[in-house]
Every structure is written in C-alpha cells, then in structure tokens.
Amino acid sequence: MDHRMLVLLLMLLSRNVMCQQEEVCSKSVINSCTDCIRSGPYCAWCQQLNFTKAGEQESVRCDTQAQLMERGCKKEEIISPANNVTIIKEDPLSVSFDNQEPVQMSPQKINLKLRPGLPTTFRISFRRVEGYPVDLYYLMDLSNSMKDDLENVKELGRDLFAALKKITEHAQIGFGAFVDKTVLPYTNTNKEKLQRPCDESDQYCQAAFGYRHVLSMTAKENEFKKKVADQFISGNLDSPEGSLDAMMQAAVCGNKIGWRNSSTRLIVLTTDAGFHMAGDGKLAGILEPNDQQCHMENNLYTKSNEMDYPSVGQLATELEKNNIQPIFAVTKNVEDVYKELSKMIPKSEVGVLSSDSKNVVQLIETAYNSLSSKVTVTHDNLPDNVRVVYTPICKYAGPAGDKNGVCDNVHVAQTISFDVTVTADSCMEDTSFTIRPLGIKDTLTVTLSTKCECQCKDPNDKMHQLCTNRGSIVCGICSCMESFIGQNCECSIGNKDEQSLRASCQRNNGTECEGRGDCVCGRCQCHSTNQGGRYRGDFCECDDEHCENYQNKLCGGNGKCDCGTCKCNAGYEGSACQCKASREGCLTKGNTVCNGRGRCICNRCDCKEGYQRPQCLICLGCPDPCQTKLDCIECLGFGSGPFGKICDTNCRNITYDMVDNFAISGKECHQKDSEGCWITFKLNQLVGEDNYEAEILKQRDCPEPPSVIPIIAGSIAGVAVIGIVLLMLIKMLIYMKDLKEFRKFENEKKKSKWAEVRQFIIQTIKTQPT
C-alpha cells in the first residue's frame, strides 16, 4: 500500500512539473488587454500605471504572471481570467428503485465559464440502482429454418420470467417477429406462396410478412406464453433476413412497444441468418431511404415494401438515442457477422444459440450481466472547438479517452466516478452539450461560455493626467480622445488625417514601424529589444541582435551585427563570419580562383548559376556553346554570317586559329553555317564565363551547286509533255462531244422516216373505197 501511495505521489509531482513547464505566453500582435487574454491560456495583462518604460511597446504588459511579477507588476494589478465551474443541480444518487424516477448519475446540470485553451476538470458520479426495472423485447426470426427454435421458445416463458426476477421485481417482456420484405427477390410473390410460403409438409404456416409486433411489454407470464403459442413459421427465398428493419421499428415505435421511461431496455434478436442493410433494397427497385420513423399499423410495418433497409449507422443512432441495448442471440454459423455488427453498435452483446435455442435464457442472463456491469460515459452535441477527455476512477478502469470513459465489472449499488476535462479552444457564446451513460436515461447538461474580455478596474476620471488630460485609462493604457494619438496622447494631429500620419510610419504599406515601435506624430519611436538594445532606422527595421549565429555566438564572435547582416573582422568571412579568409581550396591549376566563375567563400567555391563545384569548371545547365558561338566562328573564320561586318565588336572574347588539324583539347563542334556549309571547329573555355579559344578547320564542307542546263532542259521537256497531254485531253473531249451529237442526229433522222411512212399509210387507207 505504501509503495502504491509513493507511485501516486510521484505521478502527481511530475504532473505539476509538466503543468508549470506548459505555462508559456506565446504572444503575437498585442494592442490591448483583450488581445493578450485571447493569445494564450497562460497570458496575463498588467494594468498597473507607468508599468512600461519610455520607448517600450505596450505589449510588454502581456506575459505570464511569473514574468510580469518579476518585471515589477503587483499581483493585484494582473488580469488573468480563471475558469469557473458552477453546479446548478446535484440530486443525490438513489440506492434502490422505489417506483419513482431514480437518480443514477450526479450532478445533473453544470455551468462552465472557461478561458480559451485553459482546461478545467469536474467529477461526475454513477451508481447502479438495485432493482432497476428491465424491459426485454424478444425479437424472433420466424423464417422456415427457425421452426425447431420456435417450438422451444413457446416453452421458455416461465424460465425467462424467472431469470428476470433474479435481476429485478419490475421486469416486463414483449414479443415481435420478422422475416423479410414481401417482394422479389426476397420472397416468392406468387399469390399462393405469399399466403403459404412454407414447405407443403408444414401443417401450420402464416402468410409472409416483414415485421410484426406481437405483444407489448407485459409483466404477465401467461399473456406472454399465450401470444407466443399463437405464432407459426413463415418463409422467404434468400438467406439474409430483414432483422434491421424490425429492430429499427422496435426502437422508434416506443409507445406501441411499451418501453417505460425508467428502465433498462433490451432487444433480444434471435436468428440463424445474416441481415439485409441499406442499399440491398435496390435489388427489388426500392430506392427510398429509410426515414427512421415509426410506420406501424395494426401491429405490422406498413412501409416494408416501400422503404430501403436502414444502414447500420442509422440503427446505431436510434438505439443509442432511445437507450436500447441489443443482445444478438445467433447460431454459430453467423456469430462472426454479428460480432462485427456489435463493434459498430455501442452497448451490444453477441451470444451463440444452440441449434434449437434451448440455451437462450442462459445466454440472455449472461449478456445482461455483461452489459449492465460495463458503464460507458459519452457525450452528445459537442460544440465545435470544444474538447472533452474522460478519466475513469474505478477498480477496473479503461484508459482516458476523448470519446468516452469506461468502467468494467461494476456491481449493483457500487459508486464509481469519472473526471471530465473540458477545454474550449476559441471564444464562443453560451452553448451546451450533454454527458450520459450509454443505455441509461440519466443525463448531465453542460452549459458552456468563455471568458474573452478583460474586467479591468479603471480610474473613473475621463481625462487622466497620465494621458496628458487628453484621454482615459483602459486596462492601464491610454485611450485618447479624438484628434490625439500617442502612448500618452501627446501628439495632436490637427487637421491632418490620422491614417495618413500612420501611413508615413509604414514601409511599403507594411506593418506600422515593423511592429517594433510606436508611430508618434508621423515618425517611428523605436522600442527596446528583448536583450536591452534598441531597434533603429526610419521604420525601426534594423537591430544589431538578430544576425546569423555560429557555435552559439553572434556572427561567430568574429564580427559585428549591423542591421541583420554580419560585418566580419579582418581575416574572417562567411555569412556568420565563421571562416578564416583563405583561397587555397579555390585555386585551380592555372592559379585562378574558381576559374573566374564564382567567389571563394570559406575556402570553397560559391559557383555562379549552372556551374558545378569544386572549381566551377563544368556548367550542366548552360546553353551549348557550339550553337551560341557559331555566328562568331563563321564570321572570324570565313568572313560571312550575321556578324560579317561587326565581327570584331561582337566576338572579341574569342581567340582563334585556322588549322588543318586540331591541336587543342576541347569540345568538337560540327555545325551548318548561313551559306549551308558545314563548319568543323573546337572550343576550349578559358577563365571566366564567356572566354573561349577556338581552332577552325580551313576547309568547309559545302554542297556542290546544282547544274543549270539539265534543270532547264528538264523543265522545258516537262512543260512540253504536259502541253501534249492537255492537247490530247482536249481532243478527246471534242471527239466525245461530236460523237454524242452524231448519235442524236441519227436518232432524229430515224424518227423523221417513221413519220413519213406513217403518213403514207394513213393516206392510203383513206383513199381505198369502202
């Protein structure tokens, strides 16, 4: 026991040390007490008059309490709002149930006034009431495969009531049944099969149905036994059943089921098959989503064939809202399926039924004990930017968590507690959320508001002497009257626009005096630095304390900081004066520094863009000199090209020789010039960026000029051939046209002869005597 107390004491001490280490004020832009309070949970404001020294900014009033007191601020002058916890309603916990509304969780109402970012902790207590009522709704699968189970359930009434009596004298039992939607492909829609969906060998069979409420909650054993005895098996086609449909209606139709306000509500689902869920209804053309409403008439679910199955999330929400705890009593073949379902539904248990359901009473008893002995506290409607952490205080406590707190193996009449830590991360108006144990009606309503304004004790005089009688004191600083500005309202702006005066204190329309000084009468009065120096410059843009450090020394201890840049002592160089001046590592074979293409800094070459270390010899990203220097090579070697007349001016950085064979090392180039000739030359880059020596082969590779006579002869021959072909085409067209006209003439001629013969015959007939 002593060892445990020692460990606990060490934990508390370490927690206090951590809390002290966390008390840091991270200031940003602070212009008032309100800005300070909102900038961090441990920031405090000193309202003491004359706290700031000449040239100091008012933001020094904002710091941790310890720092402010160290700087000379009196404790009673420090503004640092603390959290307030006010318990509004705290009814004592009940010991046993006496037909009145029992109290199992306390307190019931609490008000929190929190400072943003500063957590506060309060404690809630819970006690399981002895003899607390139990409402058990037995929801049974009546598909054909459960025929043997139904016969056994008809005989379980006495044992079931006896088991509940061991728990409480105030027990009630209801009964409901389900199969599946009575549409294809779930159920055979043949008229005869809808009326009798069972096998022909079954003597007793009831018509197909989705969900039927059989018996409302009753404490009468005989009534339960009689109603269950009247039930018969039904049937469907596919293996999964409409169990989620049935559970949803049992949860939301509270008045019809008969759930009591003060009771432990249980749904015992018995089945040997899986379940349909949201989306499966599309197979039957059912597209309307489940609306989570009660649709029960004459004890039947009337929207079974019109609405889709509910999703697991919808069902879990309604079960939690109505404080219903499901027990899945299922056969071994679907145990894994319902265990996965149970993970998504809080306060649920899974038990394995025997093949004929004879062990269902024992299963229910075991599941109830497991559910009731596990107390889970969680929250609803948590506002944005509010965090909650639950720390269980009990023998079998789960880990602290931001979603819930869990105590296991809690016995009847045993009192347990939870520490609830609430943190508001931003300012907010009055809002609320609820904390409750799952499966229990009791709730704690938490009303939350934040402290984001300063409650300062200001002097009553409107014109204070500290403000040169031109303003009043607000939280220790001057609030100047119109036409006056400044830390002590000492500057009169007269006819000038205050905005234009302040603009003259801004560099490139940036922050006024770079946030390091006060704009007084259009000029910056710079503040002191944290190290005791001062900012300087027209806009307080400079200080001599924020240069680069080397080995934790400003400018390596080898120079002075000047407006953010290190000015090195003789013999030192580098951005932090960290190196002794030396060029040994930068010298090339030709005794040049970095080949003239970089600077030697800290005995290393800092090469120009594109050139590579160590000595800036190679440029990977530079343009190809074979192309960029072609015009100069053509000009220098052959006097032609774009630079023909201005060669000396544009190509002075290239020295060259005309050769028959190359003698220098370098890049060999083979390029076509402006006259179409191929020039071969070599380039060797000298010291510097654009200095080259070149060797140019004397002979260019120029293509032979074309022979004029064959071209002319060929052209004439081509024209002649084309002319002959055109003449032949014209002649052929004329011939075709004449042939067509001739044929037309022949046809006309034949028609004329036939007309003459016809006329002759007619005349001959007319002249013959009758």
Side-chain angles (χ1 to χ4, degrees):
M1 187 67 182
D2 293 339
H3 177 69
R4 290 182 181 178
M5 289 296 293
L6 180 61
V7 171
L8 182 60
L9 182 61
L10 288 173
M11 289 176 65
L12 289 172
L13 287 173
S14 63
R15 182 178 177 182
N16 288 336
V17 170
M18 290 177 66
C19 290
Q20 290 175 2
Q21 291 175 346
E22 290 175 357
E23 290 192 10
V24 176
C25 177
S26 301
K27 297 180 288 184
S28 53
V29 178
I30 306 297
N31 294 314
S32 65
C33 179
T34 298
D35 291 341
C36 177
I37 297 305
R38 296 186 180 192
S39 63
Y42 301 107
C43 290
W45 178 265
C46 179
Q47 65 173 351
Q48 183 173 307
L49 299 182
N50 296 315
F51 178 71
T52 54
K53 300 175 183 177
E56 278 189 326
Q57 53 188 340
E58 296 293 354
S59 61
V60 300
R61 293 178 177 271
C62 184
D63 213 322
T64 62
Q65 288 196 45
Q67 290 292 327
L68 291 176
M69 292 175 69
E70 186 177 334
R71 287 174 59 90
C73 186
K74 298 177 182 178
K75 187 174 182 180
E76 60 270 18
E77 297 288 350
I78 294 177
I79 305 296
S80 181
N83 293 335
N84 293 119
V85 179
T86 306
I87 297 175
I88 305 301
K89 184 178 181 182
E90 190 175 17
D91 294 339
L93 299 174
S94 302
V95 177
S96 61
F97 183 75
D98 55 0
N99 292 319
Q100 293 183 357
E101 190 74 30
V103 176
Q104 298 188 93
M105 186 175 73
S106 186
Q108 293 79 40
K109 287 185 180 181
I110 194 168
N111 279 0
L112 302 179
K113 288 191 175 181
L114 305 183
R115 180 169 175 184
L118 188 64
T120 191
T121 301
F122 58 89
R123 181 166 293 186
I124 59 175
S125 301
F126 177 87
R127 180 194 292 156
R128 284 181 60 192
V129 171
E130 186 176 357
Y132 193 65
V134 174
D135 287 345
L136 187 150
Y137 192 68
Y138 199 99
L139 191 55
M140 186 171 184
D141 176 6
L142 288 187
S143 59
N144 194 50
S145 57
M146 294 287 288
K147 180 166 56 176
D148 294 341
D149 303 75
L150 178 60
E151 296 304 317
N152 287 322
V153 170
K154 291 179 179 180
E155 305 298 327
L156 289 177
R158 184 178 62 186
D159 295 340
L160 197 53
F161 270 93
L164 292 178
K165 291 295 183 183
K166 294 179 184 178
I167 300 170
T168 177
E169 295 180 357
H170 310 281
Q172 291 189 152
I173 298 181
F175 189 86
F178 66 92
V179 184
D180 209 345
K181 297 183 184 296
T182 57
V183 291
L184 283 172
Y186 317 117
T187 304
N188 191 333
T189 55
N190 180 282
K191 187 174 181 180
E192 293 181 0
K193 278 294 185 180
L194 282 175
Q195 294 300 316
R196 188 178 175 82
C198 312
D199 296 336
E200 294 182 0
S201 59
D202 293 324
Q203 183 178 0
Y204 300 104
C205 179
Q206 62 175 317
F209 64 95
Y211 161 66
R212 174 180 286 115
H213 170 55
V214 177
L215 175 66
S216 298
M217 293 294 174
T218 180
K220 299 177 182 178
E221 179 183 334
N222 292 335
E223 189 175 355
F224 176 80
K225 188 174 181 180
K226 179 181 177 182
K227 286 289 186 180
V228 176
D230 292 339
Q231 300 306 304
F232 300 108
I233 290 298
S234 186
N236 63 327
L237 292 177
D238 63 342
S239 176
E241 315 293 3
S243 47
L244 298 196
D245 259 348
M247 291 183 70
M248 176 62 78
Q249 291 302 301
V252 298
C253 298
N255 292 334
K256 298 182 183 295
I257 302 299
W259 300 113
R260 287 175 289 185
N261 287 332
S262 298
S263 66
T264 299
R265 301 176 177 182
L266 304 174
I267 289 181
V268 179
L269 180 82
T270 58
T271 183
D272 62 350
F275 51 87
H276 285 295
M277 56 184 172
D280 289 354
K282 293 180 181 179
L283 295 173
I286 301 173
L287 303 179
E288 185 178 352
N290 195 285
D291 64 359
Q292 299 170 245
Q293 301 297 318
C294 180
H295 299 287
M296 197 186 299
E297 294 180 11
N298 298 323
N299 292 333
L300 279 174
Y301 176 32
T302 57
K303 297 283 186 178
S304 177
N305 296 342
E306 300 174 24
M307 286 188 178
D308 197 3
Y309 302 96
S311 67
V312 174
Q314 286 177 315
L315 179 61
T317 298
E318 292 303 325
L319 290 173
E320 185 176 348
K321 186 181 0 179
N322 292 283
N323 297 316
I324 297 173
Q325 305 171 62
I327 298 173
F328 300 108
V330 298
T331 51
K332 186 68 177 177
N333 61 309
V334 291
E335 179 187 8
D336 292 340
V337 174
Y338 281 90
K339 280 187 174 180
E340 291 300 317
L341 176 63
S342 179
K343 291 177 183 178
M344 293 181 277
I345 299 179
K347 293 288 284 185
S348 61
E349 286 289 327
V350 178
V352 179
L353 277 174
S354 59
S355 58
D356 54 5
S357 296
K358 282 188 177 181
N359 67 331
V360 68
V361 175
Q362 181 183 353
L363 186 154
I364 293 172
E365 195 171 353
T366 302
Y368 171 79
N369 289 332
S370 176
L371 286 172
S372 60
S373 64
K374 183 178 181 180
V375 180
T376 302
V377 174
T378 187
H379 51 257
D380 293 323
N381 304 317
L382 188 69
D384 293 335
N385 299 319
V386 175
R387 291 177 284 127
V388 178
V389 176
Y390 300 93
T391 305
I393 303 172
C394 53
K395 187 175 182 180
Y396 300 98
D402 58 355
K403 293 184 178 179
N404 55 48
V406 179
C407 279
D408 215 342
N409 294 328
V410 179
H411 304 299
V412 174
Q414 177 185 351
T415 302
I416 59 173
S417 300
F418 296 86
D419 277 348
V420 183
T421 302
V422 181
T423 307
D425 291 326
S426 63
C427 297
M428 60 187 68
E429 299 293 333
D430 286 349
T431 185
S432 63
F433 62 97
T434 57
I435 295 175
R436 63 188 181 87
L438 291 179
I440 306 294
K441 184 183 177 183
D442 296 63
T443 61
L444 165 62
T445 301
V446 180
T447 303
L448 172 65
S449 60
T450 53
K451 294 183 175 181
C452 292
E453 304 294 334
C454 291
Q455 301 296 325
C456 298
K457 299 177 181 178
D458 298 322
N460 295 326
D461 44 347
K462 294 183 179 180
M463 298 299 165
H464 198 275
Q465 184 178 359
L466 182 66
C467 305
T468 57
N469 296 317
R470 296 169 179 171
S472 58
I473 298 294
V474 177
C475 294
I477 61 177
C478 288
S479 175
C480 302
M481 60 186 295
E482 190 176 354
S483 300
F484 292 95
I485 58 174
Q487 189 172 13
N488 300 106
C489 307
E490 69 276 15
C491 179
S492 173
I493 61 176
N495 297 327
K496 296 180 181 179
D497 181 13
E498 181 180 355
Q499 189 173 0
S500 63
L501 276 177
R502 293 190 178 279
S504 62
C505 295
Q506 299 173 359
R507 183 173 61 167
N508 299 326
N509 295 323
T511 306
E512 189 176 289
C513 298
E514 299 293 325
R516 299 167 170 178
D518 297 319
C519 186
V520 179
C521 298
R523 298 190 65 181
C524 287
Q525 287 187 356
C526 301
H527 297 146
S528 301
T529 64
N530 293 331
Q531 284 75 26
R534 293 188 68 83
Y535 295 104
R536 57 188 176 85
D538 291 340
F539 303 98
C540 306
E541 71 275 13
C542 288
D543 74 90
D544 299 334
E545 297 171 357
H546 290 84
C547 285
E548 191 174 340
N549 284 6
Y550 178 69
Q551 293 183 345
N552 206 28
K553 293 180 180 179
L554 190 67
C555 297
N558 302 313
K560 293 183 179 181
C561 182
D562 182 16
C563 198
T565 303
C566 286
K567 303 294 184 183
C568 300
N569 298 334
Y572 290 91
E573 61 184 3
S575 59
C577 304
Q578 72 272 27
C579 311
K580 288 186 177 181
S582 174
R583 295 188 176 186
E584 293 181 6
C586 303
L587 293 177
T588 65
K589 293 180 180 179
N591 205 30
T592 64
V593 176
C594 302
N595 281 299
R597 299 163 200 155
R599 298 179 303 158
C600 188
I601 299 176
C602 292
N603 209 24
R604 293 181 65 191
C605 286
D606 181 20
C607 301
K608 294 184 178 180
E609 185 177 1
Y611 289 94
Q612 305 296 305
R613 286 176 176 172
Q615 293 181 331
C616 311
L617 185 62
I618 299 172
C619 183
L620 297 179
C622 297
D624 184 6
C626 290
Q627 296 181 5
T628 59
K629 303 303 177 186
L630 175 61
D631 291 342
C632 280
I633 295 296
E634 183 181 357
C635 164
L636 294 170
F638 304 99
S640 60
F643 295 160
K645 295 182 180 180
I646 51 174
C647 194
D648 294 338
T649 303
N650 291 343
C651 305
R652 65 179 63 179
N653 56 347
I654 298 178
T655 60
Y656 74 99
D657 288 314
M658 302 298 294
V659 297
D660 293 318
N661 296 298
F662 293 122
I664 65 171
S665 61
K667 183 173 183 179
E668 185 173 330
C669 306
H670 191 64
Q671 299 288 326
K672 183 181 285 189
D673 64 13
S674 61
E675 296 178 354
C677 297
W678 290 93
I679 303 176
T680 303
F681 58 96
K682 269 193 174 185
L683 289 173
N684 181 36
Q685 190 172 12
L686 304 175
V687 175
E689 284 189 81
D690 202 32
N691 299 322
Y692 290 88
E693 66 172 337
E695 287 185 346
I696 309 169
L697 292 185
K698 295 177 181 179
Q699 294 296 325
R700 291 188 292 180
D701 186 9
C702 297
E704 294 183 3
S707 180
V708 177
I709 295 174
I711 292 174
I712 294 174
S715 299
I716 294 172
V719 171
V721 170
I722 292 171
I724 293 170
V725 171
L726 287 174
L727 288 173
M728 292 178 66
L729 288 173
I730 294 170
K731 185 67 176 175
M732 183 179 291
L733 291 172
I734 293 172
Y735 172 75
M736 295 294 292
K737 184 178 181 182
D738 290 346
L739 182 62
K740 184 177 179 182
E741 291 294 329
F742 177 74
R743 286 178 179 174
K744 183 177 179 182
F745 170 75
E746 289 290 328
N747 289 334
E748 292 293 332
K749 187 176 180 181
K750 287 179 182 180
K751 290 179 182 180
S752 177
K753 288 181 179 181
W754 166 250
E756 291 176 1
V757 172
R758 183 172 176 274
Q759 186 66 28
F760 174 76
I761 294 172
I762 293 171
Q763 291 294 332
T764 303
I765 293 172
K766 288 181 178 181
T767 55
Q768 288 181 0
T770 59

